Amino acid sequence: MSSFYFLVDCNNFYASCERVFNPQLIGRPIVVLSNNDGCVVARSNEAKALGIPMGVPIYQVRDIVDRHQVKVCSSNYTLYGELSRRVMAILKQHAESIEIYSIDEAFLEFSQGVSAERDWESLAIRIREAVKKSLGIPVSIGMAETKTLAKLANNAVKKKQLPEGFCLLDRPSKIEELLKQMAVQDVWGIGRRWSKHLQSYGIDTAWQLRVAPPKLMRQKFNVFLSRTQLELQGVRCLHLEHFVPPRKSIAVTRSFGRKIKNLAELEQAVASYLSRLSEKLRLHRLKARKFILFIRTNPFSKTDDFYAQSIVCSMPDYTSNTADLILAGMQGLREIYLSQFFYNKAGVVAVDLRGEDAHQGKLFAGLIESKEEASLMKAVDLLNRKYGKNSIHYAITGTNQGWSMLSNQRSPNYLGSWEELLLVR
C-alpha cells in the first residue's frame, strides 16, 4: 500500500470542551443544548448511559436531569470553534496531509515510507497524547487503507469503547471480523434510507455489502454505493479533499427568546442577523447579491395562529457591506410583516454568492467608494474581534435585545473574551 488513512474524532466534543475549563464535570453526565436552549445536541457518555436521546427537547427529560444531577449547558460555539481550531493545528503537526471533515473530525494521510511497514499504533498513541496533553480533549482514531474503512474503524472504537482509543485495520482477518459485526447502516454515507433498500436484497452487514455482486451495485443502486463497496474491499476511491468547495449559501437563523409582535423589535432582530451574515460573508471572502429573508410564528403553538412568509431581497451589486444588507432587509421585512401575529423565529440566507473580488460597479460611484467601504468593514471586524462581539454595531440592531435567544447556561468564552478569561487563584 502506498499510503494509510487515520480518522481522528474528538470524543463527545462539545461535552469534552465544557470539561476542559471545568474539571469538576469529569465523570458527571453532561448535555449541551441547541440554540435557544431547546433540544439536546450533545451528550457525554454518562448522559447516554442514562438513556437521554439525541435531539430530544430538554423539558421531556427534565426528570432524568434532576434525578441524576445532569449538567445542562447552553451551546457555546465560539469556545467549541476555537478549541477545534487548536485540535486541527496539532493534527497538522503530525500528518503529511489533512482533510478537516467537521468541527471535531479530520482525516490524516501518511505515506508508507521507505520501510515495508510503519508502526501505526505508536503513531496513534503519540497523536492522542499530544491532543490530550495540550488541550485536554480525548480523541478516537480509526486506521485503515481507505477512508471508508478508517471511518468504520473509528466507529468500532466508540461502539466497543476500546480502552486504547484506536482501532487498526491492517490485516484481512481483522477487516473481515469487524465488517461482519457492523450493520450496513453504520457504513459511512449509507444511513437508514439506503440500508433499508440494501436489506431488501439480503445485505444486512458491512461484510455482506463488501462481497455483494458488483453487478447488483451498478444496476440496482448508484455510483456512490459502488465506490463504497470498493472502499470496503480496500480499493481507494476517495482521496483527501484539500480544498473546501465554494459555498452556495450562508445562513443566520435564530429562534427568539420570547415572542415578538412589534415591528421595531422584529427589525432589531433581522438587522442583527444581517449584521452577522455580513460578517460571515467577509470571513469567507464572499459577496452576495441576493438573500432570502423569512419570518415565522410557532408552528406548534396551540393558542397562536400560524404564519410564515419569506421574500428574496436583492441589492444593486455584489456586496458584503453591512449597511447594504440591512437596507435591503428592512425593505423586504416591511413587505411580509403582518401586525396581528406573534413571531418566534426569523432568518436570512445569502445566495447568489461570488468571491470578494467580484465588482460590477455602481452607476454614480467608483472603486474609491468601494475601497472605502471595504476598509470600514475591515476596521469594524477588527474592533469587534479585539474588544468583543458587537462592540461596534449599527444602531438599528438595538442595545437592549430582550428578544435574543435564550442562553442561560452558557459557559464563559474562556478563549475569546478578556472579560471571561479563567481566573486561577
Side-chain angles (χ1 to χ4, degrees):
M1 80 189 69
S2 59
S3 60
F4 215 69
Y5 288 116
F6 283 27
L7 189 276
V8 182
D9 185 8
C10 300
N11 299 342
N12 307 314
F13 183 56
Y14 290 176
S16 295
C17 289
E18 296 292 343
R19 285 172 169 161
V20 169
F21 294 95
N22 189 357
Q24 293 180 344
L25 296 179
I26 295 175
R28 181 178 171 185
I30 303 171
V31 296
V32 179
L33 303 181
S34 62
N35 286 339
N36 222 32
D37 289 351
C39 301
V40 174
V41 295
R43 304 159 296 164
S44 66
N45 285 335
E46 296 84 359
K48 295 175 185 177
L50 293 175
I52 299 176
M54 179 70 84
V56 65
I58 188 63
Y59 74 86
Q60 292 185 5
V61 291
R62 181 57 66 182
D63 58 331
I64 299 178
V65 168
D66 294 340
R67 191 182 328 126
H68 297 279
Q69 295 184 322
V70 177
K71 174 64 175 178
V72 178
C73 301
S74 302
S75 51
N76 189 345
Y77 297 120
T78 303
L79 177 65
Y80 308 153
E82 177 58 25
L83 281 170
S84 171
R85 185 189 67 79
R86 298 186 185 199
V87 169
M88 300 308 166
I90 293 172
L91 297 183
K92 287 178 182 178
Q93 295 173 5
H94 291 80
E96 297 163 16
S97 299
I98 183 171
E99 174 193 334
I100 299 175
Y101 182 64
S102 68
I103 191 172
D104 61 349
E105 288 181 279
F107 284 101
L108 312 184
E109 185 175 14
F110 301 91
S111 62
Q112 186 71 6
V114 294
S115 60
E117 293 185 4
R118 290 179 62 170
D119 190 348
W120 303 119
E121 293 186 352
S122 295
L123 181 56
I125 291 171
R126 288 200 302 272
I127 291 173
R128 294 186 76 244
E129 289 179 346
V131 177
K132 183 69 174 178
K133 181 178 180 180
S134 299
L135 300 174
I137 301 290
V139 301
S140 299
I141 302 178
M143 300 169 281
E145 55 189 321
T146 70
K147 290 173 73 175
T148 301
L149 284 172
K151 188 81 170 173
L152 272 177
N154 189 283
N155 193 2
V157 177
K158 295 182 176 180
K159 284 205 166 187
K160 297 182 179 182
Q161 296 186 0
L162 300 180
E164 58 269 26
F166 59 81
C167 176
L168 172 62
L169 298 181
D170 59 345
R171 295 196 303 272
S173 58
K174 292 174 68 175
I175 295 173
E176 180 177 353
E177 179 184 2
L178 176 62
L179 296 190
K180 286 182 176 179
Q181 296 172 359
M182 286 287 178
V184 70
Q185 73 177 41
D186 292 333
V187 177
W188 186 28
I190 290 184
R192 292 183 181 180
R193 186 174 68 88
W194 277 112
S195 65
K196 289 182 179 179
H197 195 19
L198 287 164
Q199 287 167 358
S200 67
Y201 288 90
I203 301 173
D204 298 300
T205 67
W207 177 257
Q208 289 172 330
L209 176 58
R210 172 183 164 128
V211 299
K215 186 176 181 181
L216 174 67
M217 292 297 104
R218 292 193 299 268
Q219 290 182 348
K220 299 297 183 181
F221 297 95
N222 57 17
V223 175
F224 168 77
L225 277 179
S226 295
R227 284 201 303 259
T228 300
Q229 183 184 45
L230 289 170
E231 285 261 319
L232 293 175
Q233 294 170 356
V235 179
R236 187 172 295 117
C237 300
L238 304 173
H239 302 276
L240 292 195
E241 296 181 7
H242 298 287
F243 302 100
V244 179
R247 287 174 171 259
K248 295 183 180 179
S249 65
I250 295 179
V252 177
T253 66
R254 300 282 189 275
S255 296
F256 306 138
R258 58 171 172 77
K259 293 183 287 187
I260 294 178
K261 188 175 184 181
N262 182 275
L263 176 60
E265 283 194 302
L266 199 57
E267 286 178 334
Q268 275 191 9
V270 172
S272 296
Y273 298 171
L274 287 167
S275 180
R276 177 59 182 147
L277 182 67
S278 65
E279 291 175 4
K280 283 189 171 185
L281 287 169
R282 295 190 292 271
L283 178 64
H284 294 287
R285 304 174 68 87
L286 293 171
K287 293 183 177 182
R289 194 171 184 180
K290 296 178 182 177
F291 62 87
I292 301 167
L293 163 64
F294 74 85
I295 53 176
R296 192 193 74 183
T297 62
N298 187 352
F300 306 106
S301 175
K302 297 179 180 180
T303 57
D304 299 330
D305 293 330
F306 179 69
Y307 172 73
Q309 189 57 271
S310 64
I311 187 171
V312 177
C313 304
S314 301
M315 291 157 289
D317 192 6
Y318 288 93
T319 182
S320 61
N321 185 286
T322 305
D324 292 341
L325 271 69
I326 289 178
L327 178 61
M330 295 304 98
Q331 293 172 349
L333 177 61
R334 293 181 188 113
E335 291 187 37
I336 61 175
Y337 168 77
L338 295 178
S339 60
Q340 64 266 38
F341 294 105
F342 291 90
Y343 300 93
N344 86 315
K345 188 173 185 178
V348 287
V349 184
V351 293
D352 192 6
L353 305 180
R354 287 190 181 180
E356 66 178 1
D357 294 330
H359 182 80
Q360 184 170 307
K362 300 177 184 177
L363 183 60
F364 300 108
L367 290 175
I368 295 177
E369 180 181 340
S370 178
K371 290 180 179 178
E372 289 178 347
E373 291 176 353
S375 297
L376 173 62
M377 292 295 99
K378 184 178 180 180
V380 169
D381 291 341
L382 286 172
L383 288 169
N384 282 332
R385 280 197 292 270
K386 183 174 182 179
Y387 295 106
K389 184 179 178 182
N390 292 329
S391 295
I392 301 247
H393 60 92
Y394 283 79
I396 193 171
T397 62
T399 55
N400 182 22
Q401 298 178 339
W403 45 265
S404 59
M405 69 177 186
L406 298 176
S407 187
N408 296 328
Q409 301 172 87
R410 184 183 70 85
S411 55
N413 185 12
Y414 300 107
L415 300 175
S417 172
W418 288 106
E419 291 75 21
E420 299 181 64
L421 285 177
L422 182 66
L423 297 178
V424 180
R425 301 182 186 277

